[in-house]
């Protein structure tokens, strides 16, 4: 891949994965993506080579006892404790809390880079899906250096641990496959980063 192709691949994959991790599967933004994955269309469009792609395609379309929307509610909303919480500070803060020091550091970095975060509710900025969507936005707006910083300093230090636990505890074929696809895609991103991923202690 040349630089333009690499940026296009990152932006596309980050936007797709970010939407699937952040928005309900029956929402206007996620529903067409869910359809593309359940009918296997994603496989010809994914910009990175993926191990066991056929097996993942089968998992995306596999029948499940739990409806997809209910699985998303269980994994991302509650009311029970989330199996693998999607906020960075839960993994990076000693007390495993929301709005921890890592969130404040991310917030300061966003201010330093004139990045506005506009949400409808009082939610931490370090949601996994939100950070993926932000990475896509940065690349699409020719802010590759800021995207590299976001990935290396604020996402990748905890993302692989989160994803590994997400896969283990998803208990739904679609979301397990989504986690595995994301795990491999993050690996491709990291292999092309020009700055090293920060070494941060994880508390979960």
């Amino acid at each position: 891949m040349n630089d333009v192709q690499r940026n296009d691949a990152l932006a596309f994959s980050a936007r797709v994965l970010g939407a699937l991790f952040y928005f309900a599967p029956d929402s206007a933004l996620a529903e067409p993506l869910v359809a593309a994955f359940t009918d296997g269309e994603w496989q010809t469009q994914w910009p990175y080579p993926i191990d066991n792609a056929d097996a993942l395609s089968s998992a995306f379309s596999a029948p499940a006892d739990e409806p997809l929307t209910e699985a998303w509610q269980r994994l991302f909303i509650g009311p029970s404790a989330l199996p693998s919480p999607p906020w960075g500070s839960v993994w990076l803060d000693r007390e495993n809390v929301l709005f921890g020091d890592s969130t404040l550091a991310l917030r300061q970095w966003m201010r330093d880079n004139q990045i506005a975060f506009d949400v409808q509710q009082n939610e931490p900025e370090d949601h996994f899906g939100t950070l993926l969507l932000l990475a896509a936005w940065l690349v699409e707006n020719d802010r590759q250096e800021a995207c590299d910083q976001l990935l290396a300093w604020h996402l990748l230090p905890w993302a692989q641990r989160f994803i590994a636990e997400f896969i283990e505890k998803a208990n739904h074929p679609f979301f397990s496959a989504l986690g595995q696809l994301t795990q491999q895609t993050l690996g491709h991103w990291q292999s092309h980063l020009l700055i090293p991923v920060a070494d941060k202690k994880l508390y979960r």
Side-chain angles (χ1 to χ4, degrees):
M1 286 186 182
N2 59 36
D3 288 344
V4 172
Q5 292 171 322
R6 189 173 298 120
N7 289 347
D8 287 348
L10 194 156
F12 172 79
S13 56
R15 189 161 292 284
V16 169
L17 296 175
L20 289 171
F21 273 94
Y22 191 75
F23 297 108
D26 57 352
S27 67
L29 288 170
E31 192 170 31
L33 301 175
V34 170
F37 279 94
T38 54
D39 68 14
E41 183 183 343
W42 73 276
Q43 202 170 341
T44 60
Q45 299 183 22
W46 205 248
Y48 303 106
I50 296 297
D51 296 335
N52 303 318
D54 289 340
L56 287 185
S57 275
S58 297
F60 276 122
S61 59
D65 294 333
E66 182 183 31
L68 192 61
T69 53
E70 291 182 15
W72 184 84
Q73 179 84 18
R74 172 176 55 82
L75 291 168
F76 295 105
I77 304 297
S80 301
L82 303 187
S84 183
W87 298 279
S89 65
V90 174
W91 305 85
L92 295 168
D93 190 278
R94 184 183 299 273
E95 303 301 324
N96 308 127
V97 295
L98 298 181
F99 295 103
D101 289 343
S102 63
T103 311
L104 300 180
L106 171 63
R107 190 175 291 172
Q108 183 62 51
W109 176 84
M110 293 173 73
R111 280 196 295 264
D112 293 343
N113 286 274
Q114 292 81 51
I115 297 169
F117 185 82
D118 184 23
V119 291
Q120 302 300 315
Q121 60 226 11
N122 184 28
E123 182 177 50
E125 293 89 337
D126 58 351
H127 187 288
F128 183 72
T130 300
L131 294 181
L132 295 183
L133 293 171
L134 176 56
W137 181 86
L138 289 169
V139 173
E140 291 162 357
N141 286 273
D142 298 319
R143 301 186 63 181
Q144 187 60 50
E145 182 179 359
C147 179
D148 285 353
Q149 292 175 0
L150 175 70
L151 296 178
W153 300 347
H154 300 289
L155 178 68
L156 291 175
W158 62 275
Q160 289 288 8
R161 177 76 65 83
F162 156 70
I163 285 294
E165 189 164 310
F166 180 84
I167 294 167
E168 179 186 349
K169 298 181 178 179
N171 200 27
H172 190 284
F174 182 93
F175 284 110
S176 177
L178 177 64
Q180 293 174 64
L181 177 64
T182 303
Q183 191 174 52
Q184 293 191 50
T185 301
L186 292 179
H188 287 292
W189 294 357
Q190 184 165 342
S191 69
H192 293 115
L193 271 181
L194 298 180
I195 55 178
V197 173
D199 183 14
K200 297 185 179 183
K201 184 172 182 178
L202 300 179
Y203 291 94
R204 179 181 170 120

